[in-house]
Amino acid sequence: MTDNTVAGRDEQPGRALAELLRNWWESSARDGREKPTQQSLAKRLGVDQTTLSRYLNPAHASNAPRRIVEQLHSALRAPADDLVRACALADAAAEAAPSRKRPAAAPAPGTASVPAGPAG
């Protein structure tokens, strides 16, 4: 496996995470096992199916939190080597998310944005 670490994908850790999680889910049907449905997997993780679907979709902006990543890794019996990378991607996506979701606070209408202090 090539070393596609977080540093190689800094600009979109959430997308890389979703691709990895999707790969785990798609690859879970091996050694005679059936791939779990998203609904059954979501129930095991304690999330709804729509949320899980968003976590597995690289085109969606919802990123799985680290707790879900760790649970998915275990439930899908993903390769052991992938967990460190997946957790790093989850952490990077979580750090990037607040800056995209929270706009800068605007002053209330009618208030001046002049620093307080002595006049003149």
Side-chain angles (χ1 to χ4, degrees):
M1 184 162 115
T2 59
D3 186 22
N4 288 332
T5 59
V6 176
R9 296 192 183 212
D10 277 339
E11 53 288 337
Q12 295 185 346
R15 183 176 186 85
L17 175 62
E19 289 170 355
L20 183 60
L21 298 180
R22 182 76 177 201
N23 184 42
W24 289 353
W25 180 59
E26 294 290 344
S27 300
S28 65
R30 59 185 179 276
D31 302 328
R33 291 187 311 237
E34 289 187 26
K35 178 173 73 173
T37 64
Q38 286 188 11
Q39 186 174 11
S40 68
L41 190 54
K43 189 173 185 175
R44 287 171 61 184
L45 300 173
V47 298
D48 61 48
Q49 189 272 326
T50 302
T51 300
L52 178 62
S53 180
R54 290 176 181 154
Y55 293 160
L56 300 176
N57 183 350
H60 205 281
S62 292
N63 300 310
R66 187 179 182 128
R67 173 186 66 83
I68 296 295
V69 169
E70 291 169 346
Q71 289 177 327
L72 276 170
H73 183 266
S74 177
L76 297 173
R77 299 180 188 168
D81 295 345
D82 285 357
L83 183 58
V84 171
R85 177 173 176 252
C87 288
L89 287 168
D91 293 344
E95 287 177 19
S99 63
R100 286 188 304 225
K101 291 182 180 177
R102 291 186 193 143
T111 60
S113 59
V114 177

